Amino acid sequence: MRQPAVIACLLLAIASGCASPPSRFYTLSAAAAPAATVSTVSVAVGPVSLPAVVDRPQIVVSTGANEVRLDEFNRWASPLADNIVRVLADNLARELGTARVWPYGQATRSSPDYQVLIDFQRFDSTLGEAVLIEALWTVRPAAGGAAKSGRSQVRDSTAGAGFEALVAAHSRALARVSGDIAAAIRAP
């Protein structure tokens, strides 16, 4: 074999060995299409706070009791807090039967009847097992009156071993958190 052919083969072998897997990007999804509008209640969702360990582009998975892994090739398509606010707003619109639910701070919207603040204590992910969400939330009426506070703790099993199943489980867990918040808004 000639020397240029040997060099070309070596370069090809090196290049193929250094190739990294393609990155995959995920987004959370709302529970279902919004219900028909039957209410005029308006709700601003946010701000939302997250544990610092998960507030990053990489999806963070638990690998042990005291160990996590930041997956460089499986990432959130948008900032996780924004993604969560969008899903909670969509879920609350469906739960409350209103189209007047939006992320807090959107300047083009009028004053809401309620503001929902959410502090996520845990947003844990274990591949092939389950997700765990613990959230403290407060519903503040704009017209005065007492704020309503609650705590949602949701564990949802994944329906598979991959990241898509993990993200789907987080979406289902957020739907249950949204249901708790909607119940507080509807309560007299």
Side-chain angles (χ1 to χ4, degrees), residues 9-79:
C9 287
L10 285 173
L11 289 175
L12 182 62
I14 291 170
S16 65
C18 294
S20 53
S23 293
R24 296 181 60 131
F25 296 89
Y26 297 89
T27 187
L28 298 163
S29 58
T37 302
V38 296
S39 173
T40 59
V41 68
S42 60
V43 180
V45 180
V48 165
S49 65
L50 293 168
V53 69
V54 298
D55 193 11
R56 58 189 69 243
Q58 302 90 344
I59 296 179
V60 178
V61 293
S62 298
T63 56
N66 299 309
E67 185 178 357
V68 296
R69 176 175 54 95
L70 280 64
D71 196 294
E72 291 296 332
F73 300 107
N74 291 286
R75 296 172 167 255
W76 296 111
S78 63

Side-chain angles (χ1 to χ4, degrees), residues 70-157:
L70 280 64
D71 196 294
E72 291 296 332
F73 300 107
N74 291 286
R75 296 172 167 255
W76 296 111
S78 63
L80 183 55
D82 294 349
N83 206 346
I84 289 170
V85 167
R86 178 188 53 79
V87 168
L88 290 173
D90 288 350
N91 287 341
L92 285 171
R94 180 185 51 80
E95 289 272 345
L96 298 171
T98 182
R100 298 179 44 160
V101 182
W102 60 85
Y104 177 77
Q106 284 190 347
T108 59
R109 303 292 183 154
S110 62
S111 297
D113 298 324
Y114 298 95
Q115 180 183 1
V116 178
L117 299 97
I118 306 148
D119 179 16
F120 285 89
Q121 304 290 298
R122 295 182 73 176
F123 198 87
D124 298 348
S125 306
T126 306
L127 274 173
E129 289 182 30
V131 301
L132 175 64
I133 291 179
E134 286 184 22
L136 303 174
W137 46 265
T138 301
V139 175
R140 288 187 184 160
K148 299 173 186 174
S149 295
R151 179 184 194 97
S152 297
Q153 182 173 0
V154 181
R155 184 181 192 283
D156 198 310
S157 297

